[in-house]
Amino acid sequence: MSENKIEIHKFADSDGQYKRKPSTFRDFISAKEGAKFPPEAGRYHLYVSFACPWAHRTLAVRSLKGLTALIGVSVVHWHMDDKGWRFPSADDPCEGATEDKIYGYKRLSELYYKANKDYNGRFTVPVLWDTKTQTIVNNESSEIIRIFNSGFNSLLDEKHAQIDIFPTHLQQEIEGLNDWIYPTINNGVYKTGFSTKQEVYEKEVTTLFEHLDKVEEILKKRHHAGEHYLTGNHLTEADVRLYTTIIRFDPVYVQHFKCNLKMIRYEYPHLHLWVRELYWTIPSFKDTTNFDHIKFHYTKSHPGINPHQITPLGPIPNIHHLDED
Ligand SMILES: N[C@@H](CCC(=O)N[C@@H](CS)C(=O)NCC(=O)O)C(=O)O
């Protein structure tokens, strides 16, 4: 336990590089005969932070797939301290957060110890919890969104069952995008912001912007062809995964993580159009985006980066309207 406590604010290794640890609970929900975790309405519960881009993926897909009535959600306080995430309370309120709706726990760590009393990893969100066997099904967002995409289809109406953000004919292309967008952009902003050596920072920030330039080129071609998304006119998990990073980019990553070679709104017209179309035209994106939690979390939870916890007022607005370039 003490190891976790010590680790929480120590982001980079001694070489100055930030290395994200792999998630440890990796089960799936399946309708197959004898499956440990079969789809069932009301049985599974999602623990999230509105601030976290990985948890945000799962909230967006839960909404896109019409799973909100089938899978409940508990939302932690935006502030992460040296013991990790906590739930709000009467003397520690937080607008938009909830209590732990299953156990009434004070800390997310209690949930991890409930699943495994010897757990010695980080207490991360998202967590997909099984209320029946009282354990964690999965705590890896890239897998939880695949579970949501197809694992509950047998319980959904035709319209939602048919929504497929990982369709067979696009899987190779999506995996191809994920393979470089995850390390260079989704995790790239963290590697940039958490680096503790000048040369490591410079290398990471350069890589990040090279790959944002690459996405911009892809979206430019799509827009010229009258298409809206990364792989064409079909919204896929590649869009969801990129969205949760890009929506945080100008409001937080530019200043807090020093990702400031360019801004999305001024220097990436195609990424800017793409992110505004998702936010303003598809409610599952706007409704799951909480800019207060996002801004407060980063700026007030990383004393090593921002010791006085001042949250910058800008940029204003957090996102431009569709008709305002
Ligand atoms: N691989 C995980 C990463 C999740 C993750 O790192 N979440 C962060 C919040 S953005 C967290 O909960 N960190 C708590 C900690 O590291 O103590 C996923 O994608 O689900």
Side-chain angles (χ1 to χ4, degrees):
M1 198 162 174
S2 58
E3 218 172 74
N4 271 311
K5 204 174 159 184
I6 294 160
E7 285 286 308
I8 274 171
H9 284 123
K10 188 178 157 280
F11 297 115
D13 286 355
S14 52
D15 58 5
Q17 284 184 317
Y18 171 68
K19 298 176 192 101
R20 190 176 294 278
K21 311 281 180 298
S23 307
T24 44
F25 297 90
R26 311 294 285 265
D27 271 308
F28 274 77
I29 288 179
S30 156
K32 281 192 198 126
E33 178 93 22
K36 191 171 163 197
F37 299 110
E40 225 175 275
R43 172 168 168 173
Y44 301 96
H45 196 77
L46 188 63
Y47 287 86
V48 297
S49 155
F50 280 137
C52 167
W54 324 107
H56 193 172
R57 296 169 166 183
T58 66
L59 280 172
V61 178
R62 169 177 171 268
S63 171
L64 283 166
K65 284 291 292 185
L67 288 167
T68 50
L70 271 62
I71 302 169
V73 173
S74 295
V75 182
V76 295
H77 196 298
W78 48 257
H79 186 240
M80 194 180 81
D81 61 22
D82 61 355
K83 294 191 218 56
W85 297 107
R86 66 179 186 273
F87 295 94
S89 60
D91 50 3
D92 179 27
C94 174
E95 202 180 322
T98 70
E99 57 174 4
D100 167 6
K101 294 178 185 169
I102 305 298
Y103 298 105
Y105 285 150
K106 291 191 174 61
R107 294 252 165 206
L108 189 72
S109 56
E110 295 173 76
L111 195 73
Y112 274 83
Y113 290 128
K114 173 88 178 159
N116 174 4
K117 63 178 174 32
D118 300 321
Y119 183 75
N120 65 358
R122 300 184 76 99
F123 311 116
T124 55
V125 284
V127 169
L128 183 62
W129 182 261
D130 178 19
T131 60
K132 195 162 180 181
T133 61
Q134 306 204 68
T135 195
I136 298 174
V137 180
N138 198 302
N139 69 337
E140 169 50 48
S141 63
S142 57
E143 294 178 355
I144 298 174
I145 63 175
R146 298 248 172 112
I147 291 172
F148 287 176
N149 186 47
S150 58
F152 292 87
N153 279 351
S154 56
L155 306 178
L156 292 173
D157 58 59
E158 185 72 12
K159 181 186 136 212
H160 286 109
Q162 272 178 8
I163 292 172
D164 189 358
I165 60 164
F166 193 54
T168 313
H169 71 288
L170 294 174
Q171 283 179 4
Q172 218 180 340
E173 191 177 348
I174 294 167
E175 298 276 27
L177 289 164
N178 292 347
D179 282 350
W180 58 267
I181 291 179
Y182 172 76
T184 62
I185 299 178
N186 302 133
N187 206 28
V189 293
Y190 282 88
K191 290 192 284 182
T192 303
F194 286 157
S195 51
T196 53
K197 286 198 180 359
Q198 180 70 30
E199 60 277 18
V200 174
Y201 161 74
E202 287 182 16
K203 183 178 148 285
E204 299 297 354
V205 78
T206 305
T207 303
L208 165 65
F209 278 90
E210 277 167 10
H211 289 86
L212 285 173
D213 291 352
K214 191 169 160 179
V215 176
E216 177 71 4
E217 276 309 303
I218 292 172
L219 288 172
K220 181 177 175 183
K221 289 198 187 97
R222 292 296 180 202
H223 287 155
H224 286 167
E227 296 168 337
H228 297 266
Y229 308 121
L230 282 169
T231 60
N233 256 340
H234 190 114
L235 179 81
T236 72
E237 67 165 45
D239 297 289
V240 174
R241 291 169 48 127
L242 184 63
Y243 172 85
T244 67
T245 297
I246 300 303
I247 199 69
R248 285 162 175 70
F249 203 87
D250 289 358
V252 171
Y253 300 148
V254 169
Q255 69 81 25
H256 185 72
F257 280 168
K258 306 180 186 75
C259 301
N260 62 356
L261 297 178
K262 297 180 193 173
M263 284 178 81
I264 303 296
R265 63 189 63 190
Y266 301 128
E267 282 127 327
Y268 286 112
H270 295 282
L271 261 163
H272 191 211
L273 176 59
W274 168 87
V275 74
R276 284 177 298 150
E277 283 189 339
L278 293 178
Y279 183 88
W280 293 109
T281 70
I282 305 177
S284 295
F285 289 95
K286 183 169 183 287
D287 295 349
T288 57
T289 302
N290 184 322
F291 285 113
D292 280 349
H293 280 229
I294 291 170
K295 289 191 71 163
F296 293 151
H297 162 68
Y298 286 95
T299 56
K300 298 185 193 299
S301 302
H302 300 145
I305 296 178
N306 193 25
H308 298 294
Q309 303 186 320
I310 306 288
T311 301
L313 284 185
I316 298 172
N318 288 312
I319 180 162
H320 286 187
H321 281 279
L322 254 178
D323 55 7
E324 142 196 40
D325 267 327

